[in-house]
Amino acid sequence: MASMKDVHLFRRYLSIFLSLFQSLFSCFFDFPILIKIADSFLSLYFLVFCDLRPVTVDLDDGETTVHFWISGHRRISRPNLVMLHGYGGNSKWQFVHQVSDLSRSFNLFIPDLLFFGKSYSRNPDRSVEIQARSVAGGLKKLGCCCVEGVGGGRVSVYSISYGGFVAYGMAEMWPEMVEKLVIVSSGVGFTQKQKTAEMKKHGGDCSKILVPKTPMDLRLLIKISMNTGLTFVHWVPDFILSQFISVMYEKNRQELLELAKNLLEREEEPELTVISQKTLIVWGDKDKVFPLEHAYRLQRHLESSRLEIIKETGHAVNIEAPTTLNNLITSFVLS
């Protein structure tokens, strides 16, 4: 009991110290300076250690701008790999544990999906299809793939969670472009009944969980996404979590909420289209967002697919088991 009291006392003093630090720090800097500095360091890491460079592409519709990180020195001997993120920040924060390894084997193309990071559109459409068309349009502009008879080459697509819906749409609409598909922890093909059941488990309106507004919301999102729970997040003071929310969600909060509602509330087709591409399905056996049963269902639906299950891992496989996931992606795409 004494040790528990000591822990609680330590946490209390730490909280007081950090609150004082915040008050002092705010006298000199305008928040959210800490997260902006961290985001800048991530950009530097992508540039220096992963040989990636930022590119912004204006699409032909005159309304849409897509931001990419792409390999600075593309090699014809390496296949092209597109990486599509989910909710939870921009592409840098979600793929930071993977890009270094994958950049050694692939020419990488990593877009921020619309309203994440630096990608934006004035188009009022909030569907998965507009995301797929924006990514495909950007790839065509970058000259790395064939879209509707224009461009050259093919790409493999690795996607996680929300990105899986976008990747599936790309594979369906442009089979001449997408050669292989990796889907990680994505509820592709969810029926409205299944969506409702999953939303009830997490308190009803999942769009508010996906787009956190308070530190408590962000902690809940992490708790649901992680099997390990990232226990250190309990020690992160609220003002730092608030900065992360401010940088990642505030600018396009309404659009992000509309994207989530469109995904969660739209009616699915009676039967999910069967795509022709070879597909690798990867799932954490402790996924609380899209339970493992949905991975088996997707595997049964796709004849040219195989399923890999990662033990003791939750929804965020890219963060909890990045090395295992990288090895699976590399062996599948290069085989």
Side-chain angles (χ1 to χ4, degrees), residues 39-329:
D39 195 66
S40 297
F41 271 109
L42 283 182
S43 295
L44 190 63
Y45 172 73
F46 273 45
L47 283 164
V48 176
F49 294 97
C50 306
D51 189 30
L52 298 171
R53 60 186 178 91
V55 176
T56 300
V57 178
D58 293 325
L59 302 189
D60 293 333
D61 62 4
E63 298 181 312
T64 305
T65 297
V66 184
H67 180 268
F68 283 82
W69 284 93
I70 66 173
S71 292
H73 297 87
R74 282 182 263 175
R75 299 182 183 179
I76 196 169
S77 59
R78 294 178 178 176
N80 297 327
L81 180 67
V82 180
M83 301 172 64
L84 301 182
H85 64 81
Y87 270 77
N90 59 37
S91 57
K92 286 185 296 185
W93 288 80
Q94 293 201 32
F95 292 135
V96 64
H97 300 295
Q98 296 186 268
V99 289
S100 179
D101 281 349
L102 294 177
S103 64
R104 298 188 187 103
S105 302
F106 303 103
N107 299 317
L108 297 182
F109 296 83
I110 311 173
D112 286 329
L113 296 177
L114 294 182
F115 308 112
F116 295 86
K118 297 180 181 179
S119 295
Y120 189 80
S121 179
R122 292 192 297 270
N123 191 322
D125 190 350
R126 299 291 180 261
S127 66
V128 169
E129 288 74 19
I130 191 65
Q131 295 280 17
R133 292 186 183 280
S134 297
V135 173
L139 293 173
K140 183 185 78 170
K141 284 271 189 175
L142 293 170
C144 79
C145 65
C146 177
V147 180
E148 296 173 352
V150 180
R154 304 184 77 188
V155 300
S156 293
V157 183
Y158 149 53
S159 58
I160 184 162
S161 196
Y162 177 65
F165 293 86
V166 180
Y168 204 96
M170 291 173 62
E172 181 182 353
M173 288 188 280
W174 298 288
E176 75 282 0
M177 174 181 70
V178 179
E179 183 175 8
K180 292 183 179 180
L181 194 61
V182 180
I183 297 177
V184 182
S185 307
S186 182
V188 174
F190 251 36
T191 65
Q192 194 61 38
K193 183 178 179 180
Q194 289 166 331
K195 290 177 188 176
T196 303
E198 293 303 324
M199 283 192 285
K200 285 182 178 178
K201 291 181 184 178
H202 304 300
D205 191 352
C206 285
S207 61
K208 292 182 179 179
I209 298 175
L210 290 171
V211 190
K213 195 170 186 177
T214 67
M216 184 182 296
D217 295 338
L218 184 55
R219 286 190 171 95
L220 177 59
L221 177 61
I222 293 171
K223 180 180 178 181
I224 293 172
S225 301
M226 306 278 185
N227 180 47
T228 56
L230 281 182
T231 52
F232 76 86
V233 80
H234 297 300
W235 298 85
V236 179
D238 284 357
F239 78 89
I240 291 180
L241 298 181
S242 294
Q243 288 184 46
F244 183 85
I245 291 169
S246 176
V247 171
M248 297 298 158
Y249 300 104
E250 288 306 328
K251 183 179 179 181
N252 297 319
R253 172 171 294 279
Q254 186 57 40
E255 291 87 349
L256 292 172
L257 286 169
E258 290 169 1
L259 286 174
K261 286 183 178 294
N262 180 278
L263 180 69
L264 295 168
E265 297 176 3
R266 71 172 186 168
E267 290 288 345
E268 298 287 351
E269 296 294 328
E271 184 67 29
L272 183 68
T273 303
V274 178
I275 57 176
S276 59
Q277 291 87 346
K278 289 183 178 180
T279 304
L280 173 65
I281 303 166
V282 184
W283 229 267
D285 69 335
K286 306 296 184 184
D287 195 328
K288 300 173 188 174
V289 179
F290 299 121
L292 189 56
E293 63 192 77
H294 300 293
Y296 288 115
R297 180 171 52 82
L298 184 59
Q299 182 194 24
R300 290 193 298 269
H301 186 73
L302 299 177
E303 293 181 3
S304 299
S305 69
R306 88 167 196 255
L307 172 63
E308 295 285 348
I309 300 170
I310 302 179
K311 299 292 186 182
E312 300 302 318
T313 303
H315 182 68
V317 181
N318 55 320
I319 296 174
E320 290 193 277
T323 302
T324 302
L325 180 56
N326 285 347
N327 290 338
L328 288 170
I329 294 169

